[in-house]
Structures are given as C-alpha cells and as structure tokens.
C-alpha cells in the first residue's frame, strides 16, 4: 500500500509553487505512521486471535512486569503514561485471571509489588514470540546492513523531532 501524500498550504510558497522536497518530507512521516498502523493492526489481531485473547494494553502490562518484576502499579502508570484508574482496572483484571500476583511491599505495606504468575509468564512469552515473528516479517528481504541503515535513519528522525525547532 503506498502512502497518500497530501499537500498542505505549508508546502506552498507565496508564489503558489510547491516547496522542493516537501511532498517527500510529508511522505516519510505518513509512511512511518502507515507502517505502525499496519504493524499494530496485525499485532492486535494476533493477540485477539490467540488462545488467551489479550488486549493490546493487557499485553503491554504483562510485558512491563515481565521486564520489571516487583514493580508497583504507580511505576506502571508513570512508565505507560496511562491514568492510575485505567492501570488499576487492567491490573485487577489480570490478577483475577491469575496472570499477575501481588505481594505487599515489605518497606511500605501501602504498595503492592506485582509480578507475573507462571501462567502470566507463559502468555507474555507467547506474545513476545508472536511479536518476534512480526518483526522478522517486517524486515524480511533486508540484510543486516540494510536493517542497521534503516534503524540509523529512523533514530535520526526521532532525534530531529526530540530536538524540536
């Protein structure tokens, strides 16, 4: 699927001519957006169709606690940028399904340290394996040098956006 390139007034100078390279610059970010949309769509489909029927956010929560065993709900909220109520609902649902285990923090009993149960770990690993297959599919046909070049260029785009102005 090729990206749709929209010309906006920002790409036109006062004489009415398109700014050189403007359509190509727009195409880069439109294509990145399109690729991420397609990737997430396929990822969500695999999660929904899997034997555990995970939502995207449930998979992210399991991945977080897989990488940060013993973290708290507040740490997940800070990491994810989600509000505490949404995070609390996700954690409650995963605990009810037996995928997360909570233990009171020895230093502060108001905090609960969360970790994956064996079942949660198995599901998280299966979801990670599916993501690995999708990642491999995305770069199929590219050699290592091409993959490194693509990664470098995307990091440059990210750095440019982080710097602003």
């Amino acid at each position: 699927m090729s990206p749709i390139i929209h010309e906006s007034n920002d790409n036109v100078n006062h004489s009415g001519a398109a700014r050189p390279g403007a359509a190509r610059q727009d195409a880069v970010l439109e294509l990145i957006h399109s690729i991420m949309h397609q990737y997430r769509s396929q990822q969500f489909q695999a999660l929904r169709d899997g034997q555990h029927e995970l939502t995207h956010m449930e998979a992210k929560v399991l991945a977080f606690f897989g990488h940060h065993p013993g973290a708290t709900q507040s740490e997940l909220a800070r990491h994810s940028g989600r509000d505490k109520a949404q995070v609390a609902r996700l954690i409650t649902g995963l605990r009810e399904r037996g995928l997360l285990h909570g233990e009171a923090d020895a230093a502060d009993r108001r905090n609960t340290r969360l970790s994956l149960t064996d079942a949660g770990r198995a599901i998280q690993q299966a979801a990670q394996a599916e993501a690995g297959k999708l990642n491999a599919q995305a770069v199929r046909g590219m050699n290592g040098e091409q993959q490194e070049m693509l990664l470098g260029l995307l990091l440059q785009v990210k750095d440019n956006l982080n710097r602003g102005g």
Side-chain angles (χ1 to χ4, degrees), residues 26 39 44 59 62 76 78 83 88 90 96 99-101 106-107 118 123-124 126 142 148-150 153 156 159:
D26 289 351
Y39 176 85
F44 295 158
L62 292 179
L76 173 61
R78 272 193 305 277
D83 65 77
L90 285 163
E96 288 172 355
L99 304 178
L100 277 180
H101 168 73
D118 289 341
I123 291 171
Q124 192 268 332
M142 291 184 206
E148 287 297 319
M149 182 184 298
L150 176 60
L153 292 169
Q156 183 178 353
D159 287 347

Side-chain angles (χ1 to χ4, degrees), residues 5-165:
I5 300 173
H6 299 282
E7 293 231 10
S8 70
N9 289 338
D10 294 341
N11 296 335
V12 178
N13 66 23
H14 295 294
S15 68
R19 217 173 51 224
R24 225 165 156 63
Q25 289 171 356
D26 289 351
V28 169
L29 291 179
E30 292 234 3
L31 184 56
I32 290 171
H33 174 78
S34 175
I35 290 167
M36 282 310 302
H37 179 75
Q38 187 175 2
Y39 176 85
R40 287 191 177 189
S41 175
Q42 290 179 22
Q43 185 182 42
F44 295 158
Q45 192 65 44
L47 289 170
R48 279 191 303 270
D49 293 347
Q51 92 186 71
H52 306 291
E53 298 182 9
L54 289 177
T55 67
H56 172 69
M57 280 307 299
E58 288 170 337
K60 284 184 145 321
V61 170
L62 292 179
F64 177 79
F65 288 110
H67 291 101
H68 305 95
T72 65
Q73 179 175 313
S74 295
E75 291 167 336
L76 173 61
R78 272 193 305 277
H79 174 79
S80 68
R82 303 289 177 170
D83 65 77
K84 289 181 182 180
Q86 181 184 23
V87 168
R89 286 189 300 274
L90 285 163
I91 287 173
T92 298
L94 291 169
R95 287 183 76 175
E96 288 172 355
R97 289 168 60 188
L99 304 178
L100 277 180
H101 168 73
E103 202 170 287
D105 185 323
D108 183 354
R109 307 229 11 113
R110 294 172 296 177
N111 285 327
T112 301
R113 297 282 170 189
L114 297 158
S115 56
L116 299 176
T117 63
D118 289 341
R121 191 172 301 102
I123 291 171
Q124 192 268 332
Q125 289 171 347
Q128 196 171 15
E130 281 299 318
K133 289 177 192 174
L134 194 51
N135 292 341
Q137 177 185 339
V139 295
R140 187 179 305 139
M142 291 184 206
N143 63 34
E145 184 179 324
Q146 290 170 318
Q147 291 178 36
E148 287 297 319
M149 182 184 298
L150 176 60
L151 182 60
L153 292 169
L154 291 171
L155 286 169
Q156 183 178 353
V157 169
K158 183 178 184 218
D159 287 347
N160 289 343
L161 291 172
N162 284 338
R163 284 193 199 108

